[in-house]
Amino acid sequence: MLVVGGQALGFVGAGVGSLVAAHPALVGGFLGVTIPTVMSKLTQGVSQAYNFDWAASDKKMMDDLKQAANALYVPLGETVGKSLAALVVGKVGSAAATSLRIREGAIAAMCMINPTIKETLVDALSSLRYAVQEVVKKALFVMTYINARKVAAKLLNKEDTWGKEGQSPFIVSEKVEETWAKVKELKKMNILIG
């Protein structure tokens, strides 16, 4: 029940129900956007799990994570590089400054003079945001996996082997392919024998 100023105004459920009844396109639009997004994320997660090396050492996973973080320099360099290139258009041959300070007003003026600068900056910053997002997702996955594997190894007395170097890879997609190859070979043998 929704009470305002000591007076009962109605039930929240009834209000939500009337909103849904009055605006079914809103609910349909929400579901139309949400369901494909959930399915896409689910498919990406399954694909990642299917192709992930579950036996990789902690050191290797941390090295991969550091490499992914270092790879951020590429889009960051592109963002800064494109911005600088837009600034120096028409000033070829002038001495390069050792530092660069840009104010919002200068950026706004540049965007008014040359609208493609705005598009370039937006594209570059969008690429940078996506790259950072991917590294953060990878970091969350790797750190969660390493810590969960440590807990499981402790519970199952596998601390000497799990997460250590020298383990043979365990990639589900490879195991499926190996098993499928064995099944095909057995099928051939049965055809030849029978």
Side-chain angles (χ1 to χ4, degrees), residues 18-36:
S18 64
L19 176 68
V20 170
H23 302 290
L26 175 72
V27 175
F30 174 74
L31 291 177
V33 170
T34 304
I35 292 173

PDB file of all heavy atoms in Angstrom, residues 18-36:
ATOM      1  N   SER A  18      -1.510  -0.911 -13.856  1.00  0.00           N
ATOM      2  CA  SER A  18      -2.147   0.063 -14.742  1.00  0.00           C
ATOM      3  C   SER A  18      -1.141   0.651 -15.724  1.00  0.00           C
ATOM      4  O   SER A  18      -1.479   0.945 -16.872  1.00  0.00           O
ATOM      5  CB  SER A  18      -2.826   1.169 -13.931  1.00  0.00           C
ATOM      6  OG  SER A  18      -1.854   1.893 -13.204  1.00  0.00           O
ATOM      7  N   LEU A  19       0.128   0.787 -15.296  1.00  0.00           N
ATOM      8  CA  LEU A  19       1.169   1.278 -16.200  1.00  0.00           C
ATOM      9  C   LEU A  19       1.390   0.288 -17.341  1.00  0.00           C
ATOM     10  O   LEU A  19       1.463   0.673 -18.509  1.00  0.00           O
ATOM     11  CB  LEU A  19       2.486   1.499 -15.444  1.00  0.00           C
ATOM     12  CG  LEU A  19       3.680   1.914 -16.299  1.00  0.00           C
ATOM     13  CD1 LEU A  19       3.477   3.318 -16.856  1.00  0.00           C
ATOM     14  CD2 LEU A  19       4.959   1.841 -15.514  1.00  0.00           C
ATOM     15  N   VAL A  20       1.465  -0.998 -16.989  1.00  0.00           N
ATOM     16  CA  VAL A  20       1.659  -2.026 -18.010  1.00  0.00           C
ATOM     17  C   VAL A  20       0.458  -2.080 -18.954  1.00  0.00           C
ATOM     18  O   VAL A  20       0.610  -2.194 -20.171  1.00  0.00           O
ATOM     19  CB  VAL A  20       1.913  -3.411 -17.356  1.00  0.00           C
ATOM     20  CG1 VAL A  20       1.869  -4.525 -18.388  1.00  0.00           C
ATOM     21  CG2 VAL A  20       3.235  -3.402 -16.627  1.00  0.00           C
ATOM     22  N   ALA A  21      -0.746  -1.974 -18.384  1.00  0.00           N
ATOM     23  CA  ALA A  21      -1.948  -2.013 -19.217  1.00  0.00           C
ATOM     24  C   ALA A  21      -2.018  -0.800 -20.140  1.00  0.00           C
ATOM     25  O   ALA A  21      -2.443  -0.906 -21.285  1.00  0.00           O
ATOM     26  CB  ALA A  21      -3.199  -2.075 -18.340  1.00  0.00           C
ATOM     27  N   ALA A  22      -1.601   0.351 -19.646  1.00  0.00           N
ATOM     28  CA  ALA A  22      -1.683   1.578 -20.433  1.00  0.00           C
ATOM     29  C   ALA A  22      -0.565   1.655 -21.484  1.00  0.00           C
ATOM     30  O   ALA A  22      -0.750   2.266 -22.527  1.00  0.00           O
ATOM     31  CB  ALA A  22      -1.617   2.796 -19.518  1.00  0.00           C
ATOM     32  N   HIS A  23       0.581   1.051 -21.200  1.00  0.00           N
ATOM     33  CA  HIS A  23       1.738   1.174 -22.091  1.00  0.00           C
ATOM     34  C   HIS A  23       2.348  -0.195 -22.396  1.00  0.00           C
ATOM     35  O   HIS A  23       3.490  -0.465 -22.023  1.00  0.00           O
ATOM     36  CB  HIS A  23       2.798   2.087 -21.454  1.00  0.00           C
ATOM     37  CG  HIS A  23       2.305   3.452 -21.130  1.00  0.00           C
ATOM     38  ND1 HIS A  23       2.003   4.368 -22.109  1.00  0.00           N
ATOM     39  CD2 HIS A  23       2.023   4.050 -19.947  1.00  0.00           C
ATOM     40  CE1 HIS A  23       1.575   5.487 -21.529  1.00  0.00           C
ATOM     41  NE2 HIS A  23       1.571   5.308 -20.221  1.00  0.00           N
ATOM     42  N   PRO A  24       1.626  -1.073 -23.083  1.00  0.00           N
ATOM     43  CA  PRO A  24       2.193  -2.391 -23.382  1.00  0.00           C
ATOM     44  C   PRO A  24       3.418  -2.308 -24.292  1.00  0.00           C
ATOM     45  O   PRO A  24       4.281  -3.173 -24.247  1.00  0.00           O
ATOM     46  CB  PRO A  24       1.043  -3.143 -24.054  1.00  0.00           C
ATOM     47  CG  PRO A  24       0.126  -2.085 -24.559  1.00  0.00           C
ATOM     48  CD  PRO A  24       0.286  -0.908 -23.632  1.00  0.00           C
ATOM     49  N   ALA A  25       3.501  -1.268 -25.101  1.00  0.00           N
ATOM     50  CA  ALA A  25       4.662  -1.125 -25.989  1.00  0.00           C
ATOM     51  C   ALA A  25       5.928  -0.901 -25.180  1.00  0.00           C
ATOM     52  O   ALA A  25       7.010  -1.352 -25.570  1.00  0.00           O
ATOM     53  CB  ALA A  25       4.441   0.039 -26.953  1.00  0.00           C
ATOM     54  N   LEU A  26       5.806  -0.222 -24.023  1.00  0.00           N
ATOM     55  CA  LEU A  26       6.953   0.017 -23.160  1.00  0.00           C
ATOM     56  C   LEU A  26       7.504  -1.306 -22.655  1.00  0.00           C
ATOM     57  O   LEU A  26       8.701  -1.564 -22.728  1.00  0.00           O
ATOM     58  CB  LEU A  26       6.551   0.914 -21.982  1.00  0.00           C
ATOM     59  CG  LEU A  26       7.625   1.147 -20.926  1.00  0.00           C
ATOM     60  CD1 LEU A  26       8.695   2.067 -21.489  1.00  0.00           C
ATOM     61  CD2 LEU A  26       7.010   1.746 -19.682  1.00  0.00           C
ATOM     62  N   VAL A  27       6.621  -2.169 -22.168  1.00  0.00           N
ATOM     63  CA  VAL A  27       7.042  -3.464 -21.650  1.00  0.00           C
ATOM     64  C   VAL A  27       7.574  -4.329 -22.790  1.00  0.00           C
ATOM     65  O   VAL A  27       8.623  -4.969 -22.671  1.00  0.00           O
ATOM     66  CB  VAL A  27       5.875  -4.167 -20.915  1.00  0.00           C
ATOM     67  CG1 VAL A  27       6.267  -5.565 -20.489  1.00  0.00           C
ATOM     68  CG2 VAL A  27       5.448  -3.343 -19.720  1.00  0.00           C
ATOM     69  N   GLY A  28       6.895  -4.347 -23.918  1.00  0.00           N
ATOM     70  CA  GLY A  28       7.350  -5.122 -25.070  1.00  0.00           C
ATOM     71  C   GLY A  28       8.689  -4.631 -25.578  1.00  0.00           C
ATOM     72  O   GLY A  28       9.562  -5.425 -25.931  1.00  0.00           O
ATOM     73  N   GLY A  29       8.859  -3.332 -25.591  1.00  0.00           N
ATOM     74  CA  GLY A  29      10.139  -2.760 -26.023  1.00  0.00           C
ATOM     75  C   GLY A  29      11.257  -3.135 -25.078  1.00  0.00           C
ATOM     76  O   GLY A  29      12.360  -3.474 -25.500  1.00  0.00           O
ATOM     77  N   PHE A  30      10.965  -3.109 -23.781  1.00  0.00           N
ATOM     78  CA  PHE A  30      11.967  -3.486 -22.773  1.00  0.00           C
ATOM     79  C   PHE A  30      12.369  -4.946 -22.963  1.00  0.00           C
ATOM     80  O   PHE A  30      13.550  -5.273 -22.987  1.00  0.00           O
ATOM     81  CB  PHE A  30      11.411  -3.259 -21.370  1.00  0.00           C
ATOM     82  CG  PHE A  30      12.321  -3.745 -20.279  1.00  0.00           C
ATOM     83  CD1 PHE A  30      13.473  -3.049 -19.968  1.00  0.00           C
ATOM     84  CD2 PHE A  30      12.027  -4.904 -19.572  1.00  0.00           C
ATOM     85  CE1 PHE A  30      14.325  -3.499 -18.984  1.00  0.00           C
ATOM     86  CE2 PHE A  30      12.873  -5.360 -18.580  1.00  0.00           C
ATOM     87  CZ  PHE A  30      14.026  -4.656 -18.275  1.00  0.00           C
ATOM     88  N   LEU A  31      11.388  -5.824 -23.108  1.00  0.00           N
ATOM     89  CA  LEU A  31      11.680  -7.245 -23.302  1.00  0.00           C
ATOM     90  C   LEU A  31      12.368  -7.479 -24.642  1.00  0.00           C
ATOM     91  O   LEU A  31      13.237  -8.334 -24.753  1.00  0.00           O
ATOM     92  CB  LEU A  31      10.401  -8.076 -23.205  1.00  0.00           C
ATOM     93  CG  LEU A  31       9.775  -8.162 -21.809  1.00  0.00           C
ATOM     94  CD1 LEU A  31       8.474  -8.949 -21.868  1.00  0.00           C
ATOM     95  CD2 LEU A  31      10.738  -8.783 -20.819  1.00  0.00           C
ATOM     96  N   GLY A  32      11.975  -6.712 -25.643  1.00  0.00           N
ATOM     97  CA  GLY A  32      12.585  -6.849 -26.963  1.00  0.00           C
ATOM     98  C   GLY A  32      14.056  -6.494 -26.970  1.00  0.00           C
ATOM     99  O   GLY A  32      14.828  -7.011 -27.763  1.00  0.00           O
ATOM    100  N   VAL A  33      14.454  -5.599 -26.087  1.00  0.00           N
ATOM    101  CA  VAL A  33      15.854  -5.209 -25.989  1.00  0.00           C
ATOM    102  C   VAL A  33      16.599  -6.122 -25.019  1.00  0.00           C
ATOM    103  O   VAL A  33      17.731  -6.513 -25.261  1.00  0.00           O
ATOM    104  CB  VAL A  33      15.976  -3.734 -25.536  1.00  0.00           C
ATOM    105  CG1 VAL A  33      17.405  -3.369 -25.200  1.00  0.00           C
ATOM    106  CG2 VAL A  33      15.432  -2.815 -26.613  1.00  0.00           C
ATOM    107  N   THR A  34      15.954  -6.487 -23.922  1.00  0.00           N
ATOM    108  CA  THR A  34      16.612  -7.242 -22.867  1.00  0.00           C
ATOM    109  C   THR A  34      16.903  -8.686 -23.264  1.00  0.00           C
ATOM    110  O   THR A  34      18.010  -9.180 -23.045  1.00  0.00           O
ATOM    111  CB  THR A  34      15.752  -7.223 -21.587  1.00  0.00           C
ATOM    112  OG1 THR A  34      15.506  -5.865 -21.240  1.00  0.00           O
ATOM    113  CG2 THR A  34      16.446  -7.915 -20.450  1.00  0.00           C
ATOM    114  N   ILE A  35      15.949  -9.370 -23.839  1.00  0.00           N
ATOM    115  CA  ILE A  35      16.125 -10.787 -24.152  1.00  0.00           C
ATOM    116  C   ILE A  35      17.269 -11.019 -25.133  1.00  0.00           C
ATOM    117  O   ILE A  35      18.124 -11.867 -24.882  1.00  0.00           O
ATOM    118  CB  ILE A  35      14.794 -11.409 -24.630  1.00  0.00           C
ATOM    119  CG1 ILE A  35      13.824 -11.451 -23.451  1.00  0.00           C
ATOM    120  CG2 ILE A  35      15.018 -12.797 -25.213  1.00  0.00           C
ATOM    121  CD1 ILE A  35      12.428 -11.872 -23.798  1.00  0.00           C
ATOM    122  N   PRO A  36      17.377 -10.275 -26.246  1.00  0.00           N
ATOM    123  CA  PRO A  36      18.537 -10.494 -27.135  1.00  0.00           C
ATOM    124  C   PRO A  36      19.870 -10.186 -26.447  1.00  0.00           C
ATOM    125  O   PRO A  36      20.860 -10.874 -26.695  1.00  0.00           O
ATOM    126  CB  PRO A  36      18.299  -9.534 -28.297  1.00  0.00           C
ATOM    127  CG  PRO A  36      16.832  -9.281 -28.295  1.00  0.00           C
ATOM    128  CD  PRO A  36      16.410  -9.367 -26.857  1.00  0.00           C
TER     129      PRO A  36
END
